[in-house]
């Protein structure tokens, strides 16, 4: 979990996400949002080569939990393959802000931060 700016955190995810790692990600996210008073968390999944039902469920769980703490998740780095898998699985990401790249996610978070001040 990387503090990027006041109220903005980035968490890049790389490699395989199993149940144990998904729980560690969620715990780290929630602890970071709470202790650093984050309003926006960029969850970058560029480094995740594939998703399954468990990973999709973990992403949705993270989004709901972070929103309960008053912050927003911005999901970045969704590859065409991952997007196709999420759609075919019926994952409902309609409540999640998405951006194609980490760079565009950072730009969104920083501009959103400016508007909320």
């Amino acid at each position: 979990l990387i503090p990027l700016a006041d109220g903005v955190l980035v968490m890049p995810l790389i490699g395989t996400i199993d149940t144990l790692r998904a729980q560690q990600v969620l715990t780290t996210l929630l602890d970071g949002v709470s202790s650093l008073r984050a309003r926006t968390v960029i969850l970058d999944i560029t480094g995740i080569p594939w998703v399954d039902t468990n990973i999709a469920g973990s992403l949705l769980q993270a989004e709901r939990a972070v929103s309960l703490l008053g912050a927003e998740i911005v999901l970045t780095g969704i590859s065409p393959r991952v997007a196709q898998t999420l759609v075919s699985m019926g994952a409902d990401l309609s409540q999640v802000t998405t951006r194609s790249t980490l760079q565009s996610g950072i730009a969104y978070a920083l501009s959103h931060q400016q508007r909320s001040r």
Side-chain angles (χ1 to χ4, degrees), residues 3-89:
L4 182 66
D6 187 36
V8 180
L9 303 174
V10 177
M11 177 176 267
L13 297 177
I14 299 169
T16 304
I17 306 288
D18 59 13
T19 304
L20 178 60
R21 185 152 179 238
Q23 187 58 46
Q24 291 170 335
V25 165
L26 183 58
T27 300
T28 301
L29 272 176
L30 296 178
D31 289 346
V33 167
S34 179
S35 65
L36 298 171
R37 297 187 177 128
R39 292 183 292 277
T40 307
V41 179
I42 301 168
L43 194 57
D44 183 53
I45 63 168
T46 303
I48 297 179
W50 59 273
V51 297
D52 61 12
T53 306
N54 292 332
I55 295 170
S58 295
L59 293 173
L60 294 172
Q61 182 181 16
E63 187 278 327
R64 287 190 301 269
V66 166
S67 70
L68 287 173
L69 296 179
E72 171 188 21
I73 281 197
V74 178
L75 189 61
T76 64
I78 300 173
S79 70
R81 180 178 173 191
V82 169
Q84 188 174 24
T85 302
L86 289 170
V87 168
S88 69
M89 290 175 11

